Amino acid sequence: METANEIFFYELAAMQDLEHQARSILGLLIGTRIQDSTLKRIIEDMADASERHSDRMDACLRHLGTAPLHTRSAPIRGVQDDFQVFLRTPHNDAVRDLFALNAAQRITKLAIAGYEHLTDWATAIAAVTCIQCLLKNLIEKTETSQQLRKLNQTLSEQLLATTT
């Protein structure tokens, strides 16, 4: 890599991988029989939003006249590995819901950091269309993060109340 554009394309590809792997993880979370209806709805919404976010990044790449690279996002793989380990340990429904919520929060925080970074790069290379796409994704991820944070407090308090 020799130019700011090449770095941006590389980072954008890593973000696309994050979104793709996030959809996979979110699908697994939904499949683990989440009991809390609010959490299940948020995670389903996250999976749908992830598809939109990938589509926006594709639009950005088309606007720049390039095809997506194939770059792996190591942090999202860590979330996926942690989830697989968790599934092999004994747990009850409340703990499973809280773990699913925490995994969703980790995914969202990784995405927020990625979109902030990409927005800065898009600004540096004056990719206005990309800035618009990335900001939309960032705003949606931030709103989701706020929903998850609020729900985390509620579910954590409920779990603490039942275990003390």
Side-chain angles (χ1 to χ4, degrees):
M1 281 184 268
E2 297 178 14
T3 68
N5 282 0
E6 289 171 337
I7 294 170
F8 178 70
F9 298 153
Y10 179 85
E11 295 290 338
L12 193 59
M15 194 68 203
Q16 285 180 307
D17 183 58
L18 186 145
E19 289 290 2
H20 175 74
Q21 293 304 317
R23 282 191 306 276
S24 174
I25 295 167
L26 294 167
L28 290 172
L29 291 174
I30 293 166
T32 62
R33 299 178 316 274
I34 293 172
Q35 299 299 307
D36 186 85
S37 60
T38 302
L39 176 59
K40 186 173 183 174
R41 181 192 47 79
I42 291 171
I43 290 176
E44 288 170 344
D45 290 348
M46 285 177 67
D48 292 342
S50 189
E51 187 71 33
R52 283 193 314 277
H53 298 159
S54 290
D55 290 346
R56 287 182 190 135
M57 285 187 284
D58 287 342
C60 169
L61 288 168
R62 281 191 307 275
H63 177 73
L64 295 172
T66 189
L69 302 173
H70 297 286
T71 304
R72 291 176 52 117
S73 169
I76 196 68
R77 303 272 195 259
V79 174
Q80 193 170 31
D81 292 347
D82 288 349
F83 181 67
Q84 295 299 330
V85 169
F86 173 78
L87 288 178
R88 292 190 293 267
T89 62
H91 52 270
N92 64 32
D93 291 345
V95 169
R96 184 178 49 247
D97 278 7
L98 192 57
F99 188 86
L101 182 124
N102 289 333
Q105 284 183 295
R106 287 176 62 196
I107 291 167
T108 303
K109 293 297 185 182
L110 287 171
I112 289 170
Y115 284 120
E116 287 174 345
H117 178 72
L118 285 169
T119 301
D120 291 345
W121 271 108
T123 302
I125 64 171
V128 176
T129 299
C130 292
I131 294 168
Q132 294 168 342
C133 293
L134 296 168
L135 281 175
K136 285 178 186 178
N137 290 357
L138 177 59
I139 290 166
E140 288 179 11
K141 293 289 186 185
T142 302
E143 290 169 353
T144 299
S145 178
Q146 291 169 349
Q147 291 175 331
L148 289 168
R149 196 165 181 202
K150 184 178 177 182
L151 184 58
N152 189 4
Q153 184 174 355
T154 302
L155 293 182
S156 296
E157 288 171 1
Q158 289 173 356
L159 183 59
L160 283 171
T162 62
T163 59
T164 56

